[in-house]
Amino acid sequence: MAAPVDRQEALAALAAEAGTRLELAAPQDILSWALETFGDQFCITASMADAVVIDMASRIRPGVPVIFLETGYHFPETLRTRDRVARKYPVVVHSVVPKQTIEQQDALFGPKLHDRDPDACCNLRKVEPLRRSLEPYAAWASGIRRDETASRRSIGVVEWDANRAMVKVNPLARWTQDDVDDYVAEHDVVVNPLLSQGYPSIGCAPCTRKVAPGESPRSGRWAGSGKTECGLHLNADGQLVRRGN
Ligand code: SF4
Protein backbone atom coordinates (compact mmCIF):
# COMPACT_ATOMS: atom_id res chain seq x y z
CA MET A 1 0.00 0.00 0.00
CA ALA A 2 1.37 3.44 -0.96
CA ALA A 3 2.29 5.89 1.81
CA PRO A 4 -0.05 8.88 2.47
CA VAL A 5 0.55 11.85 0.17
CA ASP A 6 2.19 14.04 2.84
CA ARG A 7 4.60 11.20 3.70
CA GLN A 8 5.34 10.70 0.01
CA GLU A 9 6.14 14.40 -0.33
CA ALA A 10 8.45 14.21 2.67
CA LEU A 11 10.21 11.15 1.27
CA ALA A 12 10.56 12.78 -2.15
CA ALA A 13 12.14 15.87 -0.55
CA LEU A 14 14.42 13.64 1.52
CA ALA A 15 15.53 11.81 -1.62
CA ALA A 16 16.22 15.04 -3.50
CA GLU A 17 18.28 16.48 -0.64
CA ALA A 18 20.25 13.28 -0.08
CA GLY A 19 20.80 12.78 -3.80
CA THR A 20 22.51 16.15 -4.01
CA ARG A 21 24.41 15.89 -0.74
CA LEU A 22 25.67 12.33 -1.34
CA GLU A 23 26.47 12.66 -5.06
CA LEU A 24 30.22 12.39 -4.45
CA ALA A 25 30.03 10.08 -1.42
CA ALA A 26 31.50 6.58 -1.36
CA PRO A 27 28.98 3.76 -1.94
CA GLN A 28 29.44 2.59 1.65
CA ASP A 29 28.54 6.06 2.96
CA ILE A 30 25.44 6.13 0.77
CA LEU A 31 24.40 2.74 2.12
CA SER A 32 25.16 3.80 5.70
CA TRP A 33 22.85 6.79 5.24
CA ALA A 34 20.10 4.59 3.82
CA LEU A 35 20.41 1.96 6.55
CA GLU A 36 20.40 4.58 9.28
CA THR A 37 17.56 6.60 7.75
CA PHE A 38 15.19 3.78 6.85
CA GLY A 39 16.16 0.96 9.22
CA ASP A 40 13.91 -2.07 8.71
CA GLN A 41 12.15 -0.28 5.87
CA PHE A 42 15.17 -0.60 3.59
CA CYS A 43 15.96 -3.52 1.32
CA ILE A 44 18.32 -4.45 -1.49
CA THR A 45 17.36 -6.01 -4.80
CA ALA A 46 19.87 -8.31 -6.43
CA SER A 47 20.13 -9.92 -9.86
CA MET A 48 22.86 -12.20 -8.52
CA ALA A 49 25.44 -11.10 -11.08
CA ASP A 50 27.64 -10.09 -8.17
CA ALA A 51 27.19 -9.44 -4.46
CA VAL A 52 29.02 -6.10 -4.19
CA VAL A 53 26.12 -4.11 -2.70
CA ILE A 54 25.19 -7.05 -0.47
CA ASP A 55 28.79 -7.32 0.78
CA MET A 56 28.90 -3.60 1.58
CA ALA A 57 25.50 -3.45 3.28
CA SER A 58 26.01 -6.58 5.34
CA ARG A 59 29.29 -5.19 6.72
CA ILE A 60 27.42 -2.09 7.87
CA ARG A 61 24.34 -3.82 9.25
CA PRO A 62 23.79 -7.62 9.24
CA GLY A 63 20.30 -8.89 8.49
CA VAL A 64 19.48 -6.62 5.54
CA PRO A 65 16.64 -8.05 3.40
CA VAL A 66 17.69 -8.98 -0.15
CA ILE A 67 15.04 -9.45 -2.81
CA PHE A 68 15.76 -11.82 -5.69
CA LEU A 69 13.18 -12.12 -8.46
CA GLU A 70 12.89 -15.85 -9.14
CA THR A 71 11.37 -15.61 -12.63
CA GLY A 72 11.56 -19.33 -13.34
CA TYR A 73 13.80 -18.61 -16.33
CA HIS A 74 17.17 -18.08 -14.63
CA PHE A 75 20.38 -19.86 -15.55
CA PRO A 76 21.27 -22.61 -13.04
CA GLU A 77 24.46 -20.64 -12.34
CA THR A 78 22.39 -17.66 -11.18
CA LEU A 79 20.36 -19.80 -8.79
CA ARG A 80 23.55 -21.32 -7.40
CA THR A 81 24.98 -17.82 -6.96
CA ARG A 82 21.84 -16.86 -5.02
CA ASP A 83 22.37 -19.89 -2.77
CA ARG A 84 26.07 -19.06 -2.24
CA VAL A 85 25.14 -15.48 -1.32
CA ALA A 86 22.59 -16.71 1.22
CA ARG A 87 25.20 -19.00 2.80
CA LYS A 88 28.09 -16.52 2.87
CA TYR A 89 26.55 -13.18 3.89
CA PRO A 90 24.55 -12.24 6.99
CA VAL A 91 21.53 -11.12 4.94
CA VAL A 92 18.00 -12.47 4.54
CA VAL A 93 17.42 -13.51 0.92
CA HIS A 94 13.80 -13.50 -0.24
CA SER A 95 13.23 -15.32 -3.55
CA VAL A 96 10.05 -13.78 -4.91
CA VAL A 97 8.07 -15.76 -7.47
CA PRO A 98 5.53 -14.53 -10.04
CA LYS A 99 1.82 -15.15 -9.44
CA GLN A 100 1.80 -17.65 -12.29
CA THR A 101 4.08 -20.58 -12.95
CA ILE A 102 5.60 -20.74 -16.43
CA GLU A 103 3.07 -23.47 -17.26
CA GLN A 104 0.15 -21.27 -16.17
CA GLN A 105 1.55 -18.32 -18.12
CA ASP A 106 1.96 -20.54 -21.22
CA ALA A 107 -1.64 -21.72 -20.88
CA LEU A 108 -2.93 -18.14 -20.70
CA PHE A 109 -0.67 -16.38 -23.21
CA GLY A 110 0.88 -19.17 -25.25
CA PRO A 111 4.42 -20.55 -24.97
CA LYS A 112 7.54 -18.41 -25.13
CA LEU A 113 5.86 -15.10 -24.35
CA HIS A 114 9.42 -13.78 -23.86
CA ASP A 115 10.02 -14.15 -27.62
CA ARG A 116 6.73 -12.58 -28.71
CA ASP A 117 6.13 -9.88 -26.10
CA PRO A 118 9.08 -9.52 -23.70
CA ASP A 119 7.55 -6.43 -22.07
CA ALA A 120 4.48 -8.44 -21.08
CA CYS A 121 6.63 -11.33 -19.85
CA CYS A 122 8.83 -8.97 -17.79
CA ASN A 123 5.74 -7.33 -16.33
CA LEU A 124 4.37 -10.68 -15.22
CA ARG A 125 7.61 -12.23 -14.00
CA LYS A 126 9.62 -9.22 -12.74
CA VAL A 127 7.77 -5.92 -12.45
CA GLU A 128 4.65 -7.13 -10.61
CA PRO A 129 6.61 -9.40 -8.23
CA LEU A 130 9.00 -6.54 -7.44
CA ARG A 131 6.14 -4.14 -6.78
CA ARG A 132 4.55 -6.69 -4.44
CA SER A 133 7.79 -7.48 -2.63
CA LEU A 134 8.68 -3.80 -2.08
CA GLU A 135 5.39 -2.94 -0.38
CA PRO A 136 6.73 -3.28 3.21
CA TYR A 137 9.61 -0.89 2.54
CA ALA A 138 10.13 2.86 2.19
CA ALA A 139 13.42 2.62 0.29
CA TRP A 140 15.21 0.12 -1.93
CA ALA A 141 18.69 -0.21 -3.36
CA SER A 142 19.98 -1.68 -6.59
CA GLY A 143 23.42 -2.12 -8.08
CA ILE A 144 22.80 -0.28 -11.36
CA ARG A 145 25.49 2.09 -12.65
CA ARG A 146 25.65 5.08 -14.99
CA ASP A 147 28.27 3.44 -17.19
CA GLU A 148 26.08 0.44 -18.04
CA THR A 149 23.86 2.03 -20.71
CA ALA A 150 23.20 5.43 -22.23
CA SER A 151 19.77 5.44 -20.61
CA ARG A 152 21.29 4.91 -17.14
CA ARG A 153 23.69 7.86 -17.39
CA SER A 154 21.41 10.20 -15.46
CA ILE A 155 20.46 7.98 -12.52
CA GLY A 156 21.05 9.52 -9.10
CA VAL A 157 22.83 7.98 -6.14
CA VAL A 158 19.59 8.67 -4.24
CA GLU A 159 16.39 9.53 -6.08
CA TRP A 160 12.61 9.52 -5.84
CA ASP A 161 10.96 6.49 -7.41
CA ALA A 162 7.64 8.13 -8.17
CA ASN A 163 6.29 4.97 -9.78
CA ARG A 164 6.42 3.11 -6.47
CA ALA A 165 6.35 6.16 -4.16
CA MET A 166 9.64 5.05 -2.62
CA VAL A 167 13.19 6.28 -2.24
CA LYS A 168 15.58 4.56 -4.63
CA VAL A 169 19.24 4.19 -3.71
CA ASN A 170 21.89 3.43 -6.35
CA PRO A 171 25.12 3.38 -4.32
CA LEU A 172 27.22 2.24 -7.30
CA ALA A 173 25.81 4.83 -9.71
CA ARG A 174 29.16 6.62 -10.11
CA TRP A 175 31.27 3.46 -10.22
CA THR A 176 32.79 1.89 -13.33
CA GLN A 177 33.24 -1.79 -14.11
CA ASP A 178 36.89 -1.43 -13.01
CA ASP A 179 35.74 -0.13 -9.61
CA VAL A 180 33.46 -3.15 -9.25
CA ASP A 181 36.21 -5.57 -10.32
CA ASP A 182 38.65 -4.03 -7.82
CA TYR A 183 36.13 -4.31 -4.97
CA VAL A 184 35.32 -7.93 -5.89
CA ALA A 185 39.00 -8.86 -5.87
CA GLU A 186 39.80 -6.98 -2.65
CA HIS A 187 36.87 -8.40 -0.69
CA ASP A 188 36.54 -11.84 -2.34
CA VAL A 189 32.96 -11.05 -3.27
CA VAL A 190 30.69 -13.81 -4.60
CA VAL A 191 30.18 -13.43 -8.36
CA ASN A 192 28.12 -15.33 -10.90
CA PRO A 193 30.51 -17.61 -12.88
CA LEU A 194 28.74 -16.61 -16.11
CA LEU A 195 30.42 -13.20 -15.88
CA SER A 196 33.71 -14.81 -16.90
CA GLN A 197 32.07 -17.00 -19.56
CA GLY A 198 31.03 -14.26 -21.98
CA TYR A 199 27.95 -12.95 -20.14
CA PRO A 200 28.87 -9.51 -18.72
CA SER A 201 25.18 -8.77 -18.09
CA ILE A 202 23.02 -11.61 -16.85
CA GLY A 203 19.25 -11.87 -17.00
CA CYS A 204 16.84 -14.69 -17.77
CA ALA A 205 18.31 -17.45 -19.94
CA PRO A 206 15.92 -17.03 -22.93
CA CYS A 207 16.73 -13.30 -23.13
CA THR A 208 20.49 -13.34 -22.51
CA ARG A 209 23.14 -14.29 -25.04
CA LYS A 210 26.90 -14.28 -24.97
CA VAL A 211 28.63 -11.01 -25.89
CA ALA A 212 31.60 -10.91 -28.24
CA PRO A 213 34.77 -9.05 -27.17
CA GLY A 214 34.33 -5.35 -27.85
CA GLU A 215 30.51 -5.46 -27.84
CA SER A 216 28.57 -3.44 -25.31
CA PRO A 217 28.14 -5.51 -22.12
CA ARG A 218 24.36 -5.01 -22.19
CA SER A 219 24.05 -5.93 -25.88
CA GLY A 220 23.41 -9.54 -24.94
CA ARG A 221 20.12 -8.67 -23.22
CA TRP A 222 16.97 -9.01 -25.37
CA ALA A 223 19.30 -8.93 -28.40
CA GLY A 224 17.60 -7.76 -31.59
CA SER A 225 14.34 -6.77 -29.88
CA GLY A 226 15.07 -3.09 -29.20
CA LYS A 227 14.28 -3.68 -25.53
CA THR A 228 16.98 -2.50 -23.12
CA GLU A 229 15.32 -2.48 -19.69
CA CYS A 230 13.17 -5.07 -17.94
CA GLY A 231 11.07 -2.33 -16.37
CA LEU A 232 12.32 -2.63 -12.79
CA HIS A 233 14.06 0.74 -12.93
CA LEU A 234 11.47 2.57 -15.02
CA ASN A 235 8.99 5.19 -13.92
CA ALA A 236 5.30 5.09 -14.89
CA ASP A 237 6.14 7.06 -18.05
CA GLY A 238 8.54 4.34 -19.16
CA GLN A 239 11.61 6.48 -18.39
CA LEU A 240 14.39 5.57 -15.99
CA VAL A 241 14.12 7.11 -12.53
CA ARG A 242 16.41 10.15 -12.72
CA ARG A 243 18.04 12.71 -10.55
CA GLY A 244 15.53 15.37 -9.73
CA ASN A 245 12.47 13.09 -10.14
FE1 SF4 B 1 10.53 -12.98 -19.47
FE2 SF4 B 1 12.87 -12.53 -20.66
FE3 SF4 B 1 11.79 -10.68 -19.05
FE4 SF4 B 1 12.80 -12.93 -18.04
S1 SF4 B 1 13.93 -11.27 -19.09
S2 SF4 B 1 10.89 -12.00 -17.46
S3 SF4 B 1 12.21 -14.44 -19.65
S4 SF4 B 1 11.00 -11.40 -21.05
Side-chain angles (χ1 to χ4, degrees):
M1 186 185 301
V5 172
D6 55 350
R7 177 163 160 74
Q8 289 184 29
E9 289 174 352
L11 286 172
L14 181 71
E17 185 279 326
T20 301
R21 181 168 46 83
L22 296 172
E23 167 62 19
L24 300 179
Q28 293 92 333
D29 293 336
I30 298 167
L31 282 168
S32 291
W33 169 83
L35 287 160
E36 191 174 317
T37 303
F38 300 106
D40 292 342
Q41 291 190 30
F42 175 72
C43 68
I44 297 168
T45 58
S47 66
M48 299 300 167
D50 66 61
V52 169
V53 176
I54 291 169
D55 182 281
M56 290 176 175
S58 65
R59 289 171 189 268
I60 300 165
R61 196 189 79 185
V64 180
V66 174
I67 292 169
F68 171 69
L69 300 174
E70 174 36 309
T71 64
Y73 280 121
H74 283 297
F75 291 101
E77 290 88 344
T78 300
L79 299 179
R80 287 198 286 272
T81 302
R82 184 260 327 259
D83 295 342
R84 287 169 61 210
V85 164
R87 283 195 300 272
K88 173 166 178 170
Y89 299 98
V91 295
V92 181
V93 177
H94 300 280
S95 292
V96 181
V97 298
K99 286 182 176 171
Q100 298 162 341
T101 64
I102 291 172
E103 291 72 24
Q104 289 168 331
Q105 178 173 300
D106 287 353
L108 276 171
F109 301 102
K112 297 189 176 181
L113 183 62
H114 46 73
D115 286 353
R116 293 176 289 109
D117 191 346
D119 284 343
C121 185
C122 277
N123 277 331
L124 290 165
R125 312 205 73 76
K126 288 185 172 182
V127 177
E128 188 285 328
L130 179 67
R131 177 179 293 280
R132 186 168 17 103
S133 62
L134 289 179
E135 280 181 0
Y137 304 102
W140 64 296
S142 84
I144 64 172
R145 305 192 316 268
R146 291 174 189 160
D147 75 341
E148 290 175 316
T149 62
S151 61
R152 291 186 178 182
R153 272 186 205 132
S154 61
I155 61 170
V157 295
V158 182
E159 53 199 2
W160 178 237
D161 178 356
N163 195 23
R164 301 180 182 87
M166 299 178 70
V167 175
K168 173 97 181 289
V169 182
N170 304 310
L172 305 184
R174 293 177 54 246
W175 269 22
T176 64
Q177 186 61 54
D178 285 347
D179 293 324
V180 171
D181 293 344
D182 289 348
Y183 187 92
V184 165
E186 187 177 341
H187 297 89
D188 192 24
V189 172
V190 169
V191 296
N192 191 319
L194 292 174
L195 289 177
S196 56
Q197 296 171 24
Y199 297 88
S201 179
I202 305 164
C204 294
C207 303
T208 306
R209 67 156 173 80
K210 278 192 178 185
V211 169
E215 278 190 294
S216 162
R218 291 275 298 182
S219 63
R221 304 288 297 278
W222 305 284
S225 74
K227 181 176 167 69
T228 59
E229 294 282 348
C230 53
L232 303 182
H233 305 288
L234 299 179
N235 246 325
D237 59 1
Q239 302 297 309
L240 275 165
V241 178
R242 293 170 198 280
R243 281 171 279 181
N245 276 155

